[in-house]
Amino acid sequence: MSETTPPPAAPAAAPAGRTASDIKRDPLVLVAVSRDWEAVTDAKEFANEITLIVDRARIVSVCRAFKDEGFSYLVDLSGVDYSKYPGHAGPRFGVVYTLYSFNANKRVRLRTFTDENTPIPSVTDVWKTANWHERETFDMLGIQFEGHPNLERILMWEGFNGHPLRKDFPIRGIDTGARIYPEVFPPGGGPKPGSTGKDAKDVNIFQGEWNTYGTWPAAQIAGQRAAAKTQQPAAPELAAVVAETAKPTQEAPWHNPDLQLPERMKMAEKGSLKDKLFAAMAQTDCTACGWDCEGYANAIATGETKDLTLCVPGEQETEDMLKKLMSAG
Amino acid sequence: MFDVHEMEVNFGPQHPSTHGVLRVILKVDGERIIDAKPVIGYLHRGTEKLFEHMNYPQCVPHTDRMDYVAAATNNLGFVEAVEKLMGITAQIPKRAQLLRVILSELQRISSHLLWLATHAIDIGAMTPFFYTFREREQVLDFFEAYCGARLTLNCMRIGGMPEDVPAGWLEDIQEFIDRFDVAIDEYENLLTNNRIWKRRTVGIGVLSPEEAIEWGITGPPLRGSGVNWDLRRALPYECYPELDFEVPLGKNGDTYDRYLVRMEEMRQCRRIIQQCIPLIRQTPAGDIKAKISRVIRPPEGEVYHSIESPKGELGYYIVSDGKSQNAYRCHVRPPSFVNLQALPAMAKGHLISDLVALIGTIDIVLGEVDR
């Protein structure tokens, strides 16, 4: 415990303080860099690894020069979102190429910068292996590659709306719109309009409506109810389910979990105390209280229960509203 | 010209021989593959995003979950990359280095045993599965004795190792190593000269050395094509330079040669561990950690570090902004992802049943492909 810990030592060996021009003259890269001296705008060195900053428009010719000089193996290609990097100025994204030369037995890193809208020339013609790497970089960061034969998503699914490794993408994820019941949630995917991921409702986690898994969700029932009105239901079981579950919705327009509490209260303002209590519930029929929403309202109104804190999905606002209604009425 | 009846067939993602959740959309003419398109991402868990949101020591257990049949080598790559970033690579004690080598070579054995079992069962040879799992079980027991886990080991720390060698561990490994050569002979008796095995693997999925490098292929598939390149030799890490072992090479670059390379690699693993055991006995007990700060906050900079995992080159590219305890960006270069990319090139012109052999010979783990 008491041992004094030395600060992390400076990266070993690297002759510290070489200027960009010196690094560009390093024998490892000199021949390749000298083909287009101006294309390499800057050079850095850390932990004995050389990083060359390359002009975006000339990245393909620089890569080809390196390949001709023995860097036949593209180890890795990835991107970095520098938008939250302390002290970073300039375009938002960096694309990083790690090259390896079998003859020199050394690696070199190239980096080029771009923003959201400017595509980077693809190096798939130089190395075949760049294909999937560029697709992954596009998928994860939204960097466009010009001239890529098949630039589509690779890890996320087609239609996913977002680029997960961007710094403004929330770690909790976003609501992608993917649901079990396409009748309820229309196809097309994508997060809800204006979703930021900061609100719990934006996040693709349990929202209460998943409780309808195994039974029929409200909209589907509503559709069946409409069908039931016009024609006789074929199967008696179906008729029973429709009749039972459709009943509250017929008389209670507020029985819809998508409505906000003030809206629901407004709809029920002319109704009885039971109706107002019913409208204050979260309308998910989650049965956490022991009843469905109507049953709980009924139980409070008839004095069967005095506990006003049982509505879990309604949270504090339902509880407050129930207390207000009970103290008023 | 002939009338070609092309058809599209979905291979996977629920197919037992796709080793997880790989889907390949095949364009076939009868049984013959005209084109193959791998579809991946079913196991994507956003590991790289998670790395940005936790500090460096917390990342180590997450590396286990990438190549979940070779957790020790995943740990090794990550801790070494961070050590390189901090500039403390030279401070790692010898005992810790040897322990790391023993664990990663045991891991290579267990990974190759699993590969052999599944590869053989895919092609139709059931028996090797029972033989290899007999030995793999013992290797997993060694991991359990060392760190308590069998698969997700979390067995390395930045700056050293979590535990010293348990009592009796080295003796048990020595005993296992002494018997293991005979066990490999048993597997080879079942397969190497087996006529069915050879007809299913010889000449299947040939990769020339130039093609393999062009596709970025590493590990046993690269060496099966005859390229003498092993990161333990080319860019050595830990104490590999002091150890004596050979890098087995193939000639034809087909599935059979890749099989032979992996079999020989297991023998070389055995040889490496054999040398490590007396060396680790000479080092002082308990000297398993470098003296580094408890709070890991590397200087500003970026490193790429890679190791030879059982599947190939496993690299970590880490960017540190010098101000936080989290990586600003941590990109993983998984060998399976890159090797899988060559599947269409290898599969073209072969039969659908050969595709099963090819998926086996690349030795993919989808947890690593999708991260």
Side-chain angles (χ1 to χ4, degrees):
Chain A
M1 282 297 170
S2 62
E3 67 197 20
T4 50
T5 51
R18 281 210 289 179
T19 63
S21 170
D22 284 344
I23 298 170
K24 277 161 79 175
R25 285 186 174 81
D26 189 290
L28 179 64
V29 297
L30 178 63
V31 183
V33 170
S34 58
R35 288 217 196 160
D36 193 351
W37 189 260
E38 298 301 318
V40 179
T41 53
D42 198 2
K44 289 191 173 119
E45 199 168 32
F46 181 82
N48 275 337
E49 295 180 0
I50 293 176
T51 307
L52 303 175
I53 317 292
V54 182
D55 179 35
R56 177 175 58 234
R58 285 184 273 187
I59 185 73
V60 175
S61 67
V62 170
C63 282
R64 205 174 285 283
F66 271 97
K67 192 183 182 190
D68 292 345
E69 294 309 325
F71 289 84
S72 53
Y73 167 32
L74 176 71
V75 182
D76 191 19
L77 190 162
S78 65
V80 185
D81 178 0
Y82 282 102
S83 60
K84 300 232 171 103
Y85 196 85
H88 176 75
R92 177 177 179 180
F93 297 114
V95 176
V96 180
Y97 306 75
T98 310
L99 321 180
Y100 175 80
S101 161
F102 285 93
N103 297 330
N105 193 23
K106 276 193 176 151
R107 296 200 189 95
V108 165
R109 188 181 302 123
L110 309 180
R111 181 162 54 226
T112 181
F113 288 100
T114 186
D115 55 29
E116 287 96 330
N117 306 317
T118 321
I120 289 186
S122 166
V123 295
T124 41
D125 289 342
V126 187
W127 297 280
K128 282 183 191 166
T129 182
N131 190 318
W132 277 21
H133 285 303
E134 287 185 352
R135 274 177 70 187
E136 190 194 333
T137 310
F138 160 71
D139 189 3
M140 292 288 123
L141 289 152
I143 300 170
Q144 300 286 334
F145 290 90
E146 199 171 14
H148 189 285
N150 177 29
L151 192 66
E152 53 186 51
R153 288 187 180 272
I154 185 163
L155 295 179
M156 308 309 288
W157 60 94
E158 217 41 62
F160 181 79
N161 192 356
H163 298 286
L165 281 178
R166 285 189 174 183
K167 288 284 176 184
D168 51 11
F169 188 95
I171 178 102
R172 292 192 300 177
I174 55 170
D175 188 337
T176 60
R179 293 290 191 280
I180 294 177
Y181 299 108
E183 306 86 23
V184 187
F185 305 98
K192 291 173 187 167
S195 115
T196 56
K198 286 181 184 133
D199 184 359
K201 292 250 186 227
D202 292 344
V203 182
N204 193 11
I205 51 171
F206 173 69
Q207 300 284 352
E209 62 226 37
W210 291 96
N211 259 341
T212 55
Y213 183 82
T215 60
W216 293 347
Q220 195 177 348
I221 291 166
Q224 284 167 356
R225 192 185 69 235
K229 269 183 189 170
T230 52
Q231 61 187 50
Q232 287 296 318
E237 302 95 315
L238 185 71
V241 173
V242 169
E244 192 195 329
T245 46
K247 193 181 63 182
T249 342
Q250 266 170 336
E251 299 150 12
W254 53 81
H255 189 56
N256 178 352
D258 290 341
L259 296 175
Q260 295 297 313
L261 181 74
E263 278 179 81
R264 300 201 303 262
M265 294 314 295
K266 200 154 184 236
M267 288 174 176
E269 66 189 353
K270 290 206 180 71
S272 63
L273 174 64
K274 189 217 108 181
D275 285 346
K276 284 180 189 162
L277 288 169
F278 183 16
M281 303 299 170
Q283 313 301 340
T284 56
D285 283 338
C286 70
T287 65
C289 55
W291 298 270
D292 59 4
C293 288
E294 189 179 16
Y296 183 33
N298 220 4
I300 298 173
T302 55
E304 193 182 333
T305 178
K306 293 218 166 355
D307 192 348
L308 304 180
T309 60
L310 293 176
C311 186
V312 180
E315 296 177 351
Q316 195 63 40
E317 66 171 10
T318 292
E319 194 183 321
D320 292 346
M321 184 53 75
L322 291 178
K323 280 181 186 155
K324 198 174 130 194
L325 289 168
M326 287 312 284
S327 59
Chain B
M1 287 304 288
F2 296 106
D3 185 15
V4 180
H5 298 285
E6 284 181 15
M7 189 166 61
E8 267 200 356
V9 179
N10 253 323
F11 187 82
Q14 313 290 357
H15 196 280
S17 66
T18 55
H19 296 212
V21 280
L22 170 69
R23 175 180 170 211
V24 189
I25 301 173
L26 296 174
K27 201 186 265 183
V28 289
D29 175 15
E31 273 276 293
R32 206 158 284 282
I33 297 168
I34 299 171
D35 200 5
K37 186 184 165 207
V39 180
I40 59 172
Y42 293 93
L43 213 54
H44 178 64
R45 291 154 294 179
T47 309
E48 290 175 16
K49 185 82 177 171
L50 292 174
F51 283 170
E52 292 174 9
H53 288 264
M54 46 184 74
N55 61 36
Y56 290 98
Q58 287 173 329
C59 293
V60 180
H62 278 271
T63 62
D64 291 338
R65 271 83 181 163
M66 287 190 298
D67 183 353
Y68 41 75
V69 301
T73 46
N74 288 9
N75 294 163
L76 181 67
F78 183 78
V79 299
E80 282 192 354
V82 179
E83 283 159 8
K84 189 172 175 187
L85 191 61
M86 297 167 74
I88 57 165
T89 308
Q91 297 175 29
I92 309 302
K94 189 70 187 292
R95 195 176 176 85
Q97 292 192 15
L98 285 162
L99 250 173
R100 285 178 176 184
V101 170
I102 291 180
L103 283 168
S104 28
E105 294 307 318
L106 282 174
Q107 189 73 78
R108 200 180 311 277
I109 289 177
S110 88
S111 172
H112 280 2
L113 287 177
L114 183 79
W115 157 80
L116 180 62
T118 51
H119 189 33
I121 225 169
D122 285 348
I123 291 184
M126 185 87 174
T127 320
F129 186 89
F130 303 113
Y131 282 63
T132 58
F133 267 54
R134 184 184 58 192
E135 270 75 42
R136 182 170 178 267
E137 197 62 24
Q138 290 172 324
V139 176
L140 296 189
D141 283 346
F142 295 141
F143 291 137
E144 196 175 2
Y146 178 71
C147 63
R150 289 156 61 83
L151 280 177
T152 51
L153 304 178
N154 186 19
C155 65
M156 292 177 198
R157 299 288 183 271
I158 296 159
M161 298 297 284
E163 301 285 339
D164 202 1
V165 182
W169 198 61
L170 292 175
E171 288 75 13
D172 288 349
I173 293 180
Q174 181 67 58
E175 195 202 336
F176 168 75
I177 289 300
D178 290 341
R179 280 182 289 116
F180 188 52
D181 229 9
V182 183
I184 302 176
D185 287 341
E186 281 179 1
Y187 316 145
E188 292 224 56
N189 274 341
L190 288 168
L191 295 173
T192 304
N193 294 316
N194 181 326
R195 219 162 64 185
I196 306 170
W197 181 257
K198 281 184 111 169
R199 287 189 65 169
R200 289 298 305 274
T201 55
V202 174
I204 302 296
V206 178
L207 269 180
S208 70
E210 298 76 24
E211 237 182 324
I213 293 169
E214 182 72 23
W215 282 114
I217 294 204
T218 46
L222 180 70
R223 294 191 284 276
S225 296
V227 180
N228 188 352
W229 193 72
D230 186 319
L231 275 164
R232 291 173 294 175
R233 274 269 180 269
L235 297 164
Y237 47 93
E238 302 300 345
C239 51
Y240 279 109
E242 302 159 30
L243 300 170
D244 182 29
F245 65 99
E246 277 160 29
V247 178
L249 296 177
K251 277 196 208 94
N252 308 319
D254 59 3
T255 302
Y256 187 65
D257 278 20
R258 288 186 279 269
Y259 155 78
L260 291 178
V261 163
R262 287 200 178 91
M263 296 309 275
E264 184 57 31
E265 254 181 34
M266 284 199 275
R267 293 187 198 276
Q268 297 301 327
C269 292
R270 181 190 160 276
R271 208 169 134 194
I272 293 171
I273 299 171
Q274 188 102 39
Q275 295 167 49
C276 285
I277 289 174
L279 287 176
I280 202 166
R281 287 211 171 102
Q282 291 163 18
T283 54
D287 184 20
I288 50 165
K289 276 177 195 158
K291 287 194 173 62
I292 58 158
S293 161
R294 271 164 191 278
V295 177
I296 290 171
R297 190 178 284 128
E300 183 176 2
E302 53 186 334
V303 291
Y304 175 84
H305 182 74
S306 62
I307 58 145
E308 185 74 28
S309 93
K311 318 271 187 300
E313 172 168 0
L314 172 68
Y316 289 85
Y317 169 63
I318 303 180
V319 180
S320 158
D321 58 11
K323 294 197 168 53
S324 73
Q325 298 176 42
N326 302 3
Y328 184 79
R329 171 89 166 92
C330 178
H331 175 71
V332 186
R333 187 251 187 235
S336 300
F337 176 81
V338 185
N339 291 359
L340 179 63
Q341 196 182 174
L343 181 69
M346 289 159 83
K348 249 169 232 176
H350 286 301
L351 303 179
I352 290 182
S353 53
D354 294 330
L355 184 75
V356 175
L358 288 173
I359 292 172
T361 193
I362 302 174
D363 193 12
I364 47 165
V365 165
L366 269 300
E368 189 180 57
V369 174
D370 298 338
R371 282 153 290 150

